[in-house]
Amino acid sequence: MKSWQLPEHIADILPSTARQLESAREELLALFRVHGYELVQPPLMEYSTSLLTRIDNGLSLKTIRVVDQISGRQLGIRADITPQVARIDAHLLSANNGINRLCYAGSVLHARPEGLLSTREPLQIGAELYGFKGIEADVELIDLMLKSLKIGGMADILLSLGHIGVFRALASAANLDQEQSSRLLELMQDKDTEAVAERVKAWRLDGMWSKAFTLLPTLYGGREVLQYAREKLPDLFAVKTALDDLQAICNAFPQQKVHIDLSELRVDNYHTGLLYAAYGNNSHNAVARGGRYDDLGQHFGRARPATGFSFDLRAFTDHLPKHERPKVIMVNYQDVSEARDTIERLRKQGQCVVIDYGLKSNVSHICTGRLAKQNGEWIVSENNIHSEN
């Protein structure tokens, strides 16, 4: 293997794309800032037990592990930043018993790509709110997510809504054990109604629960699905509460295209309630995902209500506006020492000054002037662009 080759699904980011991503990252963090979200920067690697790999099988499979040569303990390279932010809220920011609004922007690493065209090193950006259980917090985060996607160049967004609480309420009422619930979840995700019906029949569930589980994969569509679900699903308090949450989100975004899917349960194990995702035009996969993960912090010593979203900014590259490299002023390398004060003054003004060593440069084509001495003063001349060396 050649020494310059990279692992599969890992790639360098070249200057033009890097400018796009960094400009979008700065704009997103500025958006989060004016909404009250403070930036945190968790480490790329920590003990694998702190990354919640022990409680989430999906997250565990994504996590790359190494042995710490100092402690001998197992380290994990983060595959998701949310557990780290939950740790920060529960431990480092535990003095605040009120609301913490936190945001982040950093790379994560996956042991395997999530799709054939996916990178194993997403640039994960997200925002999270800790300390408030009301649906109003979810409305705030969804609003922020939709604004973020506009910065990412995504138009005509479809907001997809689900709620893990519906399935869990039915599973609890039907007395399903953990193994049965997990198996049924898998079938729900595939929307395999026949397989669901066969499975609940094999378990000899009561007719009411059998009918409800078979119905669940068919409950998707527009806002009208919620009323249909109220009429057809068992009258359980937890089911009613979940449907009320979904209705509140619909009411908060009356002009937004919304898709309801009560069997959309593709979640990390730490999610506990409302689920939301955003889809762009002609996109089969969600461009952003979020939801409720109340009490995730209990694994770090402090259980708290929490909601948040995240997305991979690198997936937006084709939609981000182009950011050309700033025009440059060149100065001959022989003149740098004498012109140092002028060069630094121009750079402090935000102008790009590049030293010209007399060879072809990757900025030659965007050079707009040359710094040269005229009548005892250093002047930027637009009439003397090309090097005389």
Side-chain angles (χ1 to χ4, degrees):
M1 186 180 76
K2 297 180 175 62
S3 60
W4 51 264
Q5 288 182 318
L6 293 173
E8 293 185 28
H9 297 274
I10 296 290
D12 294 307
I13 300 177
L14 298 182
S16 60
T17 303
R19 284 195 296 272
Q20 285 180 290
L21 292 174
E22 186 58 24
S23 295
R25 178 184 178 277
E26 292 174 355
E27 194 172 350
L28 286 164
L29 291 179
L31 173 70
F32 295 163
R33 190 178 305 117
V34 298
H35 283 75
Y37 290 79
E38 296 183 277
L39 180 66
V40 292
Q41 295 181 325
L44 181 63
M45 181 170 60
E46 55 183 286
Y47 294 123
S48 59
T49 52
S50 295
L51 297 174
L52 302 186
T53 55
R54 68 193 185 281
I55 68 165
D56 192 313
N57 291 332
L59 185 58
S60 181
L61 291 173
K62 292 180 183 179
T63 302
I64 295 175
R65 297 170 174 82
V66 297
V67 175
D68 184 6
Q69 295 187 23
I70 296 178
S71 68
R73 295 176 60 183
Q74 187 182 74
L75 300 175
I77 301 174
R78 68 185 182 199
D80 183 4
I81 298 180
T82 292
Q84 295 183 297
V85 181
R87 172 180 56 75
I88 289 173
D89 173 75
H91 181 60
L92 299 177
L93 299 179
S94 59
N96 179 18
N97 290 319
I99 290 175
N100 278 328
R101 288 181 172 87
L102 304 173
C103 65
Y104 53 84
S107 292
V108 297
L109 195 63
H110 293 169
R112 292 179 177 273
E114 294 188 343
L116 292 176
L117 301 178
S118 300
T119 176
R120 291 167 60 191
E121 188 188 4
L123 176 52
Q124 187 179 353
I125 291 186
E128 304 178 4
L129 189 152
Y130 293 84
F132 186 72
K133 198 173 184 65
I135 194 66
E136 294 82 2
D138 301 281
V139 171
E140 177 180 328
L141 266 296
I142 291 173
D143 177 65
L144 189 57
M145 179 182 73
L146 295 174
K147 290 175 180 176
S148 300
L149 295 180
K150 289 182 180 179
I151 290 176
M154 300 298 296
D156 199 23
I157 292 293
L158 173 67
L159 178 62
S160 179
L161 301 173
H163 204 298
I164 189 68
V166 175
F167 174 83
R168 289 182 177 168
L170 295 174
S172 177
N175 294 316
L176 298 187
D177 59 33
Q178 185 60 47
E179 183 179 350
Q180 289 175 317
S181 293
S182 298
R183 178 60 184 141
L184 207 53
L185 269 174
E186 294 176 5
L187 298 176
M188 292 285 182
Q189 291 172 11
D190 294 332
K191 285 189 167 45
D192 193 339
T193 306
E194 291 185 6
V196 170
E198 291 176 3
R199 181 60 55 182
V200 296
K201 181 179 180 181
W203 291 336
R204 298 181 179 179
L205 295 185
D206 181 89
M208 178 172 63
W209 309 123
S210 177
K211 181 180 179 181
F213 284 125
T214 305
L215 177 67
L216 205 56
T218 70
L219 294 177
Y220 62 89
R223 299 169 187 248
E224 69 281 354
V225 167
L226 295 179
Q227 181 57 41
Y228 186 75
R230 291 184 191 277
E231 296 171 359
K232 299 298 182 180
L233 289 177
D235 185 18
L236 299 174
F237 177 78
V239 170
K240 179 182 181 300
T241 299
L243 296 177
D244 287 345
D245 285 347
L246 290 167
Q247 187 63 59
I249 299 298
C250 290
N251 294 343
F253 300 95
Q255 305 303 318
Q256 175 66 46
K257 288 196 303 182
V258 170
H259 177 78
I260 306 292
D261 190 345
L262 296 186
S263 65
E264 176 48 67
L265 306 172
R266 299 179 188 273
V267 294
D268 296 301
N269 288 348
Y270 56 70
H271 279 98
T272 58
L274 179 73
L275 305 170
Y276 44 90
Y279 292 80
N281 267 338
N282 303 317
S283 62
H284 297 290
N285 297 316
V287 295
R289 289 186 181 277
R292 273 271 160 192
Y293 37 93
D294 292 340
D295 300 334
L296 180 61
Q298 69 182 338
H299 301 282
F300 307 108
R302 185 166 77 143
R304 298 253 283 167
T307 181
F309 70 90
S310 67
F311 55 88
D312 174 17
L313 186 58
R314 292 179 67 168
F316 289 63
T317 303
D318 292 340
H319 303 278
L320 295 175
K322 301 292 183 182
H323 286 268
E324 300 298 332
R325 182 165 181 170
K327 300 298 183 181
V328 304
I329 298 167
M330 302 188 80
V331 56
N332 289 343
Y333 72 96
Q334 300 99 326
D335 297 333
V336 170
S337 180
E338 186 179 352
R340 178 70 65 187
D341 290 344
T342 303
I343 292 171
E344 294 308 316
R345 175 174 55 80
L346 290 170
R347 286 172 173 167
K348 286 180 179 179
Q349 293 172 356
Q351 299 189 59
C352 178
V353 182
V354 173
I355 299 172
D356 181 6
Y357 294 104
L359 301 174
K360 185 178 180 180
S361 165
N362 64 340
V363 298
S364 299
H365 65 290
I366 54 174
C367 176
T368 59
R370 181 171 293 278
L371 185 63
K373 199 169 189 178
Q374 298 179 14
N375 299 323
E377 295 184 4
W378 290 101
I379 302 296
V380 176
S381 173
E382 297 183 0
N383 298 321
N384 186 25
I385 293 178
H386 299 290
S387 173
E388 297 174 357
N389 296 318

